[in-house]
Amino acid sequence: MTPEAALQHWLDQRLDAAGAQWLRDAVAGLAGGGTDRDLYRSVSLVSRKLGKAPLALDAAALAVAAQARPGWDPSPWTVDQAARVRLLLAAATDSDTFVRRLDQLCATADVDELVAFYRGLPLYPDAPRHRQRAAEGVRTNMRVVFEAVAHHNPYPAEQLPEDAWNQMVLKTLFVGSTLHPIAGLDGRANATLARMLSDYAHERWAAARPVSPELWRCVGPFAAGHLLDDLARVLDSGTPPERAAAVLALRSATDPHARTLLDRHAALRDTVAARGTDWTNVLEFN
């Protein structure tokens, strides 16, 4: 099943007869050579015609999504977001026209529309053409729009260069968001990011401000020297979630001194393991 077919199937299941017919007519019109005006008008009518209920996908539907497009996770999507992306994909022609239309839609979009367009990034044709669009989403001051790019979205890990990726991860912490919904986080970990995160932690410590336990996830694989000293500090004086996160980080470290540090905190190490604590639930450790 293609992403377009999956979206259409899920929407058909959730819309009433009038809404489903309106969407099918709009999709058919756009697929048959609809104009820019047709696309923009249809997109603008989505909320009024279809509402904003959660798409509410179950495990089977999410498995279909992953098969249709590896890495695609539409679990947080709503009906209006799915319909807007469905319409945009129906109108896809050549790459230049698609990019121009997407740029115009984003230029005039409200927040709900922007969230839809950014969540749709992994589905758009000619993926490299949308790197600038993704970078703009990362730069936004609107957290919900930023998270539409950063969370449950495989596009950044696949397409952003290292410097843009690193800035996205750092900004996720800066805006008070969480790291675990970032797709591909472990695969894109790098030494430069580890140093950036350590510097950020030191700035927070100097200002007597809390440091997210999740920060250490991207530090662990590169923990050596002063980065190990940072983790030792967390183990000695951090909150329970921070100390558990330090244990998880040290598990991924390759420096032999990391094992020594873990052995010094064997009771905590064993408790973390016994509880099945991982990066998805470390914030709940107590």
Side-chain angles (χ1 to χ4, degrees), residues 26 29-30 33-44 87 91 101:
L30 292 170
T35 65
D36 291 2
R37 181 182 176 86
D38 294 331
L39 173 62
Y40 303 154
R41 183 174 185 278
S42 295
V43 166
S44 71
L87 292 167
R101 286 173 166 176

Side-chain angles (χ1 to χ4, degrees), residues 33 54 158 202 212 219 252 260:
E158 294 171 354
H202 279 267
S212 170
V219 173
S252 64
T260 302

Side-chain angles (χ1 to χ4, degrees), residues 91-108:
T93 54
D94 62 278
S95 181
D96 288 342
T97 299
F98 189 93
V99 170
R100 176 180 57 77
R101 286 173 166 176
L102 179 60
D103 285 345
Q104 180 58 38
L105 284 167
C106 289
T108 58

Side-chain angles (χ1 to χ4, degrees), residues 96-127:
D96 288 342
T97 299
F98 189 93
V99 170
R100 176 180 57 77
R101 286 173 166 176
L102 179 60
D103 285 345
Q104 180 58 38
L105 284 167
C106 289
T108 58
D110 61 24
V111 171
D112 288 342
E113 290 168 344
L114 282 174
V115 169
F117 299 141
Y118 282 114
R119 283 184 169 166
L121 279 169
L123 307 183
Y124 300 153
D126 198 359

Side-chain angles (χ1 to χ4, degrees), residues 214-236:
E214 289 190 294
L215 178 147
W216 306 109
R217 178 175 182 173
C218 296
V219 173
F222 307 94
H226 78 276
L227 297 180
L228 276 179
D229 294 338
D230 290 344
L231 289 168
R233 171 177 176 168
V234 174
L235 283 169
D236 289 337

Side-chain angles (χ1 to χ4, degrees), residues 236-273:
D236 289 337
S237 59
T239 64
E242 289 173 325
R243 298 182 72 229
V247 168
L248 296 178
L250 287 167
R251 283 181 184 171
S252 64
T254 58
D255 189 293
H257 293 94
R259 177 61 62 85
T260 302
L261 185 54
L262 271 176
D263 289 343
R264 280 171 36 198
H265 297 271
L268 175 63
R269 177 199 62 199
D270 295 345
T271 299
V272 168

Side-chain angles (χ1 to χ4, degrees), residues 27-168:
V27 165
L30 292 170
T35 65
D36 291 2
R37 181 182 176 86
D38 294 331
L39 173 62
Y40 303 154
R41 183 174 185 278
S42 295
V43 166
S44 71
L45 289 173
V46 163
S47 293
R48 188 187 315 169
K49 295 287 188 178
L50 308 181
K52 300 182 178 183
L55 200 54
L57 301 178
D58 59 18
L62 293 176
V64 168
Q67 291 175 347
R69 198 292 189 190
W72 183 28
D73 176 11
S75 57
W77 287 35
T78 57
V79 164
D80 57 308
Q81 292 162 8
R84 289 188 173 105
V85 174
R86 177 71 185 97
L87 292 167
L88 186 54
L89 293 174
T93 54
D94 62 278
S95 181
D96 288 342
T97 299
F98 189 93
V99 170
R100 176 180 57 77
R101 286 173 166 176
L102 179 60
D103 285 345
Q104 180 58 38
L105 284 167
C106 289
T108 58
D110 61 24
V111 171
D112 288 342
E113 290 168 344
L114 282 174
V115 169
F117 299 141
Y118 282 114
R119 283 184 169 166
L121 279 169
L123 307 183
Y124 300 153
D126 198 359
R129 291 289 302 273
H130 308 294
R131 289 172 181 164
Q132 183 59 38
R133 169 60 47 206
E136 289 188 21
V138 169
R139 287 194 294 267
T140 183
N141 292 323
M142 294 178 285
R143 176 169 164 174
V144 66
V145 176
F146 169 79
E147 289 179 344
V149 182
H151 284 178
H152 305 283
N153 192 335
Y155 187 90
E158 294 171 354
Q159 295 293 334
L160 290 186
E162 184 173 288
D163 57 343
W165 169 264
N166 290 350
Q167 289 297 326
M168 186 191 82

